[in-house]
Amino acid sequence: MSITTEELSEIKQKNIYLIGSGWKPVSMIDVYNSVTFTLWLCGCNLKCPFCHNWMLAINHPSTCHYLDINKLIEELESARILIDYLHVTGGEPLTQHRELEKMLTIAKNNIGVNISINTNFTLHKPLKHLINTGIVDHLATDLKIPYDLLYGHSKEVADALWKLFLKSLTLVSEYSVPLELRIPIMKNIDIKVFRKHLAEALDKLDKHSNYYVIVQPLLGPPITNPRNPEWCKKYCDPDKHTLYIVKNELENMGVQKVIVRETLSFG
Ligand code: SF4
């Protein structure tokens, strides 16, 4: 599939306004075992203290700007034969879901690429709408436990967000959308609390046959630049042993495919 001059001119007339920091035409570290064209969008409804993309999350003007959609489309088309997915991440991409849908529809229908979205799963309605359109081929999300500490909101708000997260897991399971479930591991986890929330989440995926889990550490400086360095001093950089304890927990709970990612790269 190749985009025609007429289609390009139609796309230009669509006036798509997306705010992001940019894109990388070929990346091998953003989705497990896949080559992606990765696009970073700005804005987020969570305030995770460990977030190392917080400049995007808060829409900081030094990082975030209106993207040149025509250039994006042209580069995506050039990269098409090299990639498995257009992977949209952030920030939280679904904070811009209306404009995003326009762009993803072009990417899917005119260019012919598969679509992957990394979302925090708390914007349930936009997620449901996008899945219903049939343009989503793959999803990635973080299972943040304990959510009341990791979402960066009050307990009351975090409880509500967690319910939406679980609802999104159920939805993805019903539609069998391939899922990369990432579990960021902090230092000194309370294994009882961890097990309880893990069980709640896995219960929603009980009938989902197409998901895998990535266990990865919450990394602090100097490897990352977290939103709250003081918080990170206390909770980031768990020892490797903790990652494997979690891997065992997952396997004992019946998860078929668990990958431990000790660093930022899939190496
Ligand atoms: S880690 Fe993700 S969900 Fe949390 S604030 Fe950052 S971009 Fe948002």
Side-chain angles (χ1 to χ4, degrees):
M1 192 180 292
S2 182
I3 203 156
T4 63
T5 317
E6 291 76 30
E7 281 175 325
L8 254 185
S9 116
E10 260 180 53
I11 289 163
K12 280 180 190 164
Q13 284 162 23
K14 281 191 198 285
N15 292 329
I16 299 172
Y17 298 103
L18 279 172
I19 300 173
S21 64
W23 58 81
K24 189 174 177 189
V26 178
S27 168
M28 295 173 77
I29 63 166
D30 293 313
V31 174
Y32 176 69
N33 241 355
S34 300
V35 182
T36 63
F37 181 112
T38 302
L39 169 67
W40 284 268
L41 296 184
C42 290
C44 187
N45 58 325
L46 300 189
K47 298 178 181 171
C48 311
F50 60 88
C51 179
H52 57 263
N53 280 335
W54 58 275
M55 295 283 272
L56 275 81
I58 66 168
N59 239 319
H60 198 280
S62 68
T63 310
C64 297
H65 51 84
Y66 280 108
L67 298 171
D68 182 337
I69 301 296
N70 296 331
K71 193 159 183 272
L72 170 66
I73 296 291
E74 276 168 28
E75 290 194 26
L76 181 60
E77 194 185 39
S78 303
R80 180 177 57 92
I81 55 165
L82 305 172
I83 60 168
D84 298 303
Y85 298 108
L86 161 62
H87 180 63
V88 190
T89 183
E92 170 49 58
L94 299 190
T95 57
Q96 301 183 61
H97 61 96
R98 288 196 181 85
E99 297 298 298
L100 178 62
E101 183 183 347
K102 292 188 210 167
M103 196 275 288
L104 294 182
T105 305
I106 292 167
K108 179 103 179 175
N109 297 343
N110 298 83
I111 303 179
V113 294
N114 289 327
I115 307 295
S116 166
I117 305 175
N118 177 20
T119 158
N120 63 40
F121 270 26
T122 64
L123 298 175
H124 179 76
K125 278 191 183 166
L127 178 64
K128 187 172 183 178
H129 173 76
L130 275 183
I131 290 175
N132 268 322
T133 63
I135 52 179
V136 181
D137 299 290
H138 175 270
L139 287 164
T141 194
D142 279 0
L143 173 54
K144 297 183 175 92
I145 303 175
Y147 60 83
D148 46 351
L149 192 61
L150 298 188
Y151 282 175
H153 281 287
S154 67
K155 172 88 172 74
E156 196 186 6
V157 174
D159 282 347
L161 290 165
W162 176 249
K163 280 188 188 142
L164 288 165
F165 174 83
L166 294 177
K167 211 171 157 188
S168 295
L169 282 184
T170 305
L171 173 80
V172 167
S173 190
E174 280 166 7
Y175 280 78
S176 269
V177 185
L179 174 68
E180 177 169 311
L181 187 67
R182 302 163 178 174
I183 310 186
I185 304 298
M186 52 182 253
K187 208 152 52 186
N188 304 321
I189 56 169
D190 178 333
I191 198 71
K192 276 192 189 157
V193 173
F194 194 89
R195 249 184 226 138
K196 176 176 172 273
H197 295 315
L198 187 61
E200 275 182 278
L202 293 182
D203 182 55
K204 308 295 178 204
L205 295 173
D206 204 27
K207 297 196 170 53
H208 195 335
S209 56
N210 198 356
Y211 80 95
Y212 53 94
V213 178
I214 310 273
V215 176
Q216 56 192 11
L218 276 183
L219 294 172
I223 297 173
T224 67
N225 170 28
R227 181 196 300 256
N228 185 338
E230 283 309 307
W231 186 96
C232 222
K233 260 188 211 163
K234 197 167 166 192
Y235 296 113
C236 291
D237 301 311
D239 56 30
K240 281 182 193 168
H241 181 61
T242 311
L243 306 181
Y244 289 93
I245 289 175
V246 172
K247 182 177 192 278
N248 283 342
E249 286 286 330
L250 285 156
E251 287 170 348
N252 290 340
M253 290 169 110
V255 179
Q256 302 286 321
K257 188 171 177 185
V258 184
I259 300 116
V260 173
R261 189 190 196 195
E262 293 180 5
T263 63
L264 278 180
S265 68
F266 281 122

